[in-house]
Amino acid sequence: MNKTDPGKFEFKYRISEAAVEQYEKEGKNFTLKQVSRQADCTVADILEYFPGKKAILQFYYTGLLVRYRLMLEDIEGFDDYLLAEKLSNFVYTSFDLLDEHKSFVRETFTPLIFCSYSGTGFEQQTRELLERFFSGDPRISSSSALLMNRYFYQVLYRKYTVLIRFWLKDTSEEQEVSMELTDKYTAFLQELMYSAAVDKGFDLAKFLFSNAVFSSGFQSIKNLFPEIEIRD
């Protein structure tokens, strides 16, 4: 996972938060001048780090994940948590962080993040976190580990963004449906990744073929299952 320059991140995040607050007040027509005044910097300072308003707003989402990553440093033994515990902690904390400017998130998450055709910092940070959770877990079965490639993490990222969109539309009390959905989804992933059933299947297939169990064809099946009556 990439190291973050604390000073640079703090400055960029201050700019992005100021932009979000201006967006909430003025809508899409906020100006960089307004952002610079609130962030106590110059427009030139902003343009040194961002090409425009869209990049600033996208960085707000990226910054939330950097903040979460920094939070993990204060959780003792986090890497020893079960997979479902890591994933649910990540999703729940994401909901809390996004809730800080929920009206902004409701309006912009889909166009800026979910429907972005180019890779975003938010996607990169999410996939790095997920890779940390999965690749560092010794309880994952060897067969499940074979699935852990870039396509696997891309699918997990998309599922994570779908959870966020569901949470944004959830009208249940205290978004309890979103919480229950998160619990069920993370528990399912853990069961899938920890299961040794596929490993045992591979072991059985390897044994059968290495010992030429099927080489003599039909007669081998009769020897394996003598209680089965075979009729012509």
Side-chain angles (χ1 to χ4, degrees), residues 21-127:
E21 291 178 11
Q22 289 300 318
Y23 184 101
E24 291 173 329
K25 293 176 185 177
E26 309 291 339
K28 297 178 181 178
N29 296 322
F30 73 92
T31 67
L32 293 184
K33 187 67 176 176
Q34 291 170 326
V35 174
S36 68
R37 283 198 297 266
Q38 183 162 341
D40 192 24
C41 63
T42 67
V43 172
D45 291 332
I46 294 175
L47 294 176
E48 182 179 349
Y49 290 102
F50 300 105
K53 294 192 293 185
K54 179 180 178 181
I56 298 173
L57 296 177
Q58 283 183 323
F59 186 80
Y60 174 75
Y61 288 103
T62 304
L64 295 182
L65 294 182
V66 176
R67 286 173 58 191
Y68 175 73
R69 196 179 79 199
L70 295 173
M71 290 177 190
L72 293 184
E73 296 178 3
D74 295 325
I75 302 179
E76 185 175 353
F78 180 82
D79 288 333
D80 295 325
Y81 282 17
L82 294 174
L83 184 61
E85 294 172 333
K86 295 174 187 175
L87 293 171
S88 58
N89 178 279
F90 173 45
V91 177
Y92 293 156
T93 307
S94 296
F95 292 164
D96 289 340
L97 294 174
L98 291 167
D99 200 47
E100 294 173 354
H101 291 284
K102 196 168 186 177
S103 61
F104 165 79
V105 174
R106 279 201 177 103
E107 287 189 31
T108 65
F109 182 78
T110 295
L112 289 180
I113 302 299
F114 189 81
C115 292
S116 176
Y117 293 105
S118 58
T120 62
F122 181 82
E123 179 178 355
Q124 179 184 347
Q125 289 285 334
T126 301
R127 290 174 68 166

Side-chain angles (χ1 to χ4, degrees), residues 151-174:
Y151 300 107
F152 173 76
Y153 292 114
Q154 184 176 3
V155 170
L156 289 182
Y157 167 73
R158 294 305 291 179
K159 296 298 184 184
Y160 168 60
T161 58
V162 168
L163 274 176
I164 291 175
R165 296 224 307 169
F166 183 88
W167 170 76
L168 289 170
K169 297 176 182 178
D170 186 2
T171 58
S172 62
E173 185 176 355
E174 297 184 353

Side-chain angles (χ1 to χ4, degrees), residues 177-190:
V177 176
S178 295
M179 303 303 177
E180 185 173 357
L181 176 60
T182 298
D183 286 342
K184 292 183 181 300
Y185 177 58
T186 56
F188 167 76
L189 276 177
Q190 176 174 295

Side-chain angles (χ1 to χ4, degrees), residues 4 10 16 33 47 71 78 84 125 144 152 171 175-176 184 206 221 227 231-232:
T4 300
E10 182 180 354
S16 69
K33 187 67 176 176
L47 294 176
M71 290 177 190
F78 180 82
Q125 289 285 334
S144 296
F152 173 76
T171 58
Q175 287 76 51
E176 60 184 11
K184 292 183 181 300
K206 181 179 178 181
I221 298 177
E227 71 279 6
R231 297 180 184 272
D232 293 330

